[in-house]
Amino acid sequence: MNNKQKSKQILIFGIISQVVTLLLGILLPKLLIGGFGSEINGLLSSVKQIFVYVALLEAGVGTAALQAMYAPIAINDTLKVSEIMAATDRYFRRTGFLYGLAVLVLAFAYPYIFKVELAPLTVPAIILLQGFAGVIRYFFQGKLVILLRVDGRSYVTTNIQTAVTIASYIAQILLIVLGFDIIAVQIAYFLVNLCQMIYITWYVKKQYPWLNLSAKPDYKALGQSKFVIVHQLSGLIFNNTDMIVLTYFCGLKAVSVYALYNLIFCSVGNIIDTLCSSVEFVMGQAFNSDRKRFMRLQEAYETYYLGFSFALFTIALIMIPSFMEIYAGEFTDANYTDKYLPYLFVAVNVLMYARRTSSQIINFAGAFKQTQWRSIIESVINLTVSLIMVQYIGIYGVLVGTIAALVYRTNDVIIYANWNILHRLPWQTYRRWVINLVWMVVLVYLAQWFLPEIDSFIEWCLVSAVVAIVTVVSFLVTDTLFDFKSLIVLREFIRK
């Protein structure tokens, strides 16, 4: 399978996966809140975020291995790949046991750290079932997913993840509807997730018979991991601190509100991630083997990536208020229909995703050591502002903290990638930013005048479809008019 076919498969299956996951993912919280209350939904969301921190045990090895394997995969050096994978395997096995220990400690310590108004055994049981599902994935398939990603086969993990997600959601929804308690719902989640590990292991053994995890480990290839960990810690603070801060200062009901908005915006972000994944391996291999070709691809990629990202978040900003009125209007134990939260979440996500192309350049270049102190500054800004502001304006405060950190770090990433790696001024990136931001403001303003009243979910879907088509097409046309050369490069890439 050539790179064009791989990119197509990653994109198609990725979008299908995200659409299915979004639909089922929105239904499940509604049933959880309706059946068990906002406390349970907040607990599940809070625990998931904490386990993201536990995954820090990976200590940057995954990202370092990914960057180290681009070159050997591009030239089909199977021995080198086996040596890097052997080193990665040994690290994941050692730290997998620590992951399990962390799950046990958290299961029994959580009720004493955070205020929880639930039955004494409910919290440990939920944490153990969620946590050990993660332990199994980390221990057995963590390293294998890295290989599939660098070889352009991430559509395989996307497909099995989609199947597992569908099965898991359906099982949980049925159990809730039939009146089972939350423990039974979490057992279903745990059992279904075991299938993912079994399939990934089988697939890699079948497709990579030459892979030898007993080869001499190349630990030197993972030398960047100690610098990557700083970036990962910064990323985790940036992406996951909000819920933990809210859990401590505002309680699980505020976490439930945040989690519902975050679910929607994460789903939008995942669609953007799918676009990135469909070409990331091509870009990474080109950067390490043909820099001239990379530069041409980068210009077109950045043009349409930014246009697509701004388009999706524009759609979200226009349609989320009416969606929340329909979806959460009946919930009375927490306020889910807040007019300011959509604007704050859009600001966070635009700043985060619109820097993605520049972040990838830093990753391709392996410039982790050179930029680690900048990530530390981002984390300090985020934590400091969030901890101060949450005490005055609650849920808004954690989002303001994230925005403050992003304003600094997004500009820093854009400037560093262009100036230090591509050796040019960042003018083109900022120009594309301004064009898309202005068009976003125009469309949101026009929507206030032309958007009809929406009273049902069917009406919302129909209006959303029209808004989505108009928005995406208008962004792509606008970006093409201002950067026609990118269209030529895109057409060449698709044809080849």
Side-chain angles (χ1 to χ4, degrees):
M1 187 182 296
N2 59 34
N3 284 347
K4 177 182 176 181
Q5 293 171 320
K6 289 179 180 178
S7 294
K8 188 183 297 183
Q9 295 235 32
I10 293 170
L11 183 60
I12 293 172
F13 289 121
I15 291 176
I16 293 173
S17 171
Q18 296 309 324
V19 170
V20 172
T21 301
L22 174 60
L23 294 176
L24 292 174
I26 288 176
L27 177 59
L28 184 60
K30 186 175 179 67
L31 293 174
L32 284 170
I33 296 169
F36 305 112
S38 293
E39 282 270 325
I40 284 291
N41 188 54
L43 172 64
L44 293 173
S45 301
S46 174
V47 169
K48 286 178 182 177
Q49 296 308 310
I50 291 174
F51 280 131
V52 174
Y53 279 94
V54 177
L56 267 179
L57 287 167
E58 179 202 354
V61 168
T63 302
L66 185 76
Q67 191 275 333
M69 283 195 290
Y70 277 126
I73 283 289
I75 61 175
N76 199 31
D77 187 348
T78 56
L79 176 60
K80 185 67 173 177
V81 172
S82 291
E83 291 172 347
I84 296 172
M85 285 293 293
T88 306
D89 176 55
R90 282 158 176 73
Y91 190 90
F92 271 82
R93 286 182 178 275
R94 288 199 302 268
T95 55
F97 292 105
L98 296 177
Y99 196 143
L101 180 62
V103 171
L104 290 172
V105 172
L106 181 63
F108 296 100
Y110 188 97
Y112 298 99
I113 300 173
F114 302 107
K115 297 177 183 178
V116 180
E117 299 176 5
L118 298 170
L121 295 179
T122 299
V123 175
I126 288 174
I127 292 175
L128 288 172
L129 289 168
Q130 283 209 354
F132 279 109
V135 170
I136 292 171
R137 286 195 300 269
Y138 180 93
F139 197 89
F140 290 100
Q141 76 179 53
K143 57 187 176 293
L144 304 180
V145 170
I146 296 169
L147 175 61
L148 293 173
R149 183 178 168 188
V150 78
D151 194 34
R153 294 179 183 268
S154 59
Y155 60 87
V156 175
T157 54
T158 298
N159 291 346
I160 185 61
Q161 181 63 50
T162 303
V164 167
T165 299
I166 292 172
S168 176
Y169 278 153
I170 290 176
Q172 292 179 78
I173 289 169
L174 285 175
L175 290 173
I176 293 172
V177 172
L178 293 173
F180 285 84
D181 62 16
I182 188 62
I183 305 301
V185 173
Q186 290 304 298
I187 290 173
Y189 166 83
F190 175 79
L191 293 176
V192 173
N193 270 269
L194 293 180
C195 300
Q196 182 175 353
M197 179 271 295
I198 296 171
Y199 179 81
I200 293 294
T201 303
W202 169 81
Y203 181 86
V204 170
K205 286 184 177 179
K206 179 182 177 183
Q207 295 296 325
Y208 301 91
W210 48 264
L211 180 63
N212 179 18
L213 295 179
S214 299
K216 183 180 179 181
D218 185 1
Y219 293 111
K220 187 177 180 181
L222 305 180
Q224 289 272 20
S225 62
K226 58 181 176 292
F227 306 118
V228 175
I229 184 64
V230 177
H231 290 269
Q232 288 189 332
L233 179 59
S234 173
L236 287 173
I237 291 173
F238 162 68
N239 286 305
N240 303 285
T241 297
D242 290 2
M243 283 196 195
I244 297 175
V245 172
L246 284 174
T247 302
Y248 188 83
F249 286 98
C250 302
L252 292 177
K253 290 181 180 179
V255 173
S256 181
V257 174
Y258 181 99
L260 188 54
Y261 279 91
N262 194 53
L263 169 68
I264 297 170
F265 281 97
C266 281
S267 298
V268 175
N270 288 338
I271 294 174
I272 298 171
D273 289 338
T274 299
L275 174 65
C276 290
S277 299
S278 67
V279 296
E280 181 183 43
F281 73 100
V282 176
M283 301 292 290
Q285 292 175 17
F287 183 90
N288 286 278
S289 61
D290 188 346
R291 188 63 64 89
K292 184 177 179 181
R293 177 170 178 260
F294 170 81
M295 292 300 293
R296 293 186 75 246
L297 291 174
Q298 171 66 20
E299 293 298 327
Y301 173 52
E302 184 173 81
T303 295
Y304 291 110
Y305 169 84
L306 288 176
F308 187 64
S309 300
F310 271 91
L312 291 189
F313 289 121
T314 300
I315 297 166
L317 185 55
I318 292 171
M319 298 307 303
I320 277 181
S322 56
F323 172 81
M324 282 298 182
E325 289 286 346
I326 298 169
Y327 180 89
E330 63 189 51
F331 300 151
T332 57
D333 61 345
N335 179 25
Y336 289 86
T337 54
D338 188 295
K339 64 180 181 179
Y340 299 114
L341 285 180
Y343 289 95
L344 291 171
F345 270 100
V346 165
V348 166
N349 283 273
V350 164
L351 285 166
M352 177 170 59
Y353 280 94
R355 76 181 187 185
R356 178 72 175 269
T357 55
S358 298
S359 296
Q360 285 178 314
I361 293 171
I362 293 174
N363 291 340
F364 295 152
F368 304 115
K369 180 180 180 180
Q370 297 89 328
T371 56
Q372 61 180 343
W373 65 271
R374 302 161 189 262
S375 294
I376 295 172
I377 293 175
E378 178 185 34
S379 302
V380 171
I381 294 173
N382 193 355
L383 272 175
T384 302
V385 178
S386 293
L387 288 172
I388 294 172
M389 297 304 294
V390 72
Q391 300 179 62
Y392 295 99
I393 53 177
I395 192 171
Y396 303 142
V398 295
L399 290 165
V400 169
T402 305
I403 292 170
L406 278 168
V407 169
Y408 156 72
R409 183 64 173 145
T410 295
N411 283 285
D412 176 70
V413 166
I414 291 171
I415 294 170
Y416 185 92
N418 281 277
W419 185 262
N420 294 82
I421 299 175
L422 301 183
H423 306 295
R424 67 180 187 183
L425 293 173
W427 156 244
Q428 287 291 350
T429 300
Y430 279 119
R431 183 179 68 86
R432 292 171 182 135
W433 254 78
V434 171
I435 291 169
N436 286 286
L437 184 59
V438 169
W439 191 238
M440 181 184 202
V441 172
V442 169
L443 289 180
V444 172
Y445 175 78
L446 292 175
Q448 295 177 353
W449 291 93
F450 294 102
L451 201 67
E453 289 290 330
I454 301 174
D455 299 315
S456 69
F457 187 66
I458 294 176
E459 289 180 11
W460 185 88
C461 290
L462 294 173
V463 173
S464 295
V466 175
V467 170
I469 293 170
V470 171
T471 302
V472 172
V473 171
S474 67
F475 266 99
L476 295 180
V477 169
T478 301
D479 287 317
T480 299
L481 290 174
F482 281 94
D483 199 347
F484 192 75
K485 290 182 180 179
S486 293
L487 177 62
I488 297 173
V489 174
L490 178 63
R491 290 173 62 182
E492 291 176 357
F493 176 77
I494 294 174
R495 287 174 180 174
K496 291 179 181 180

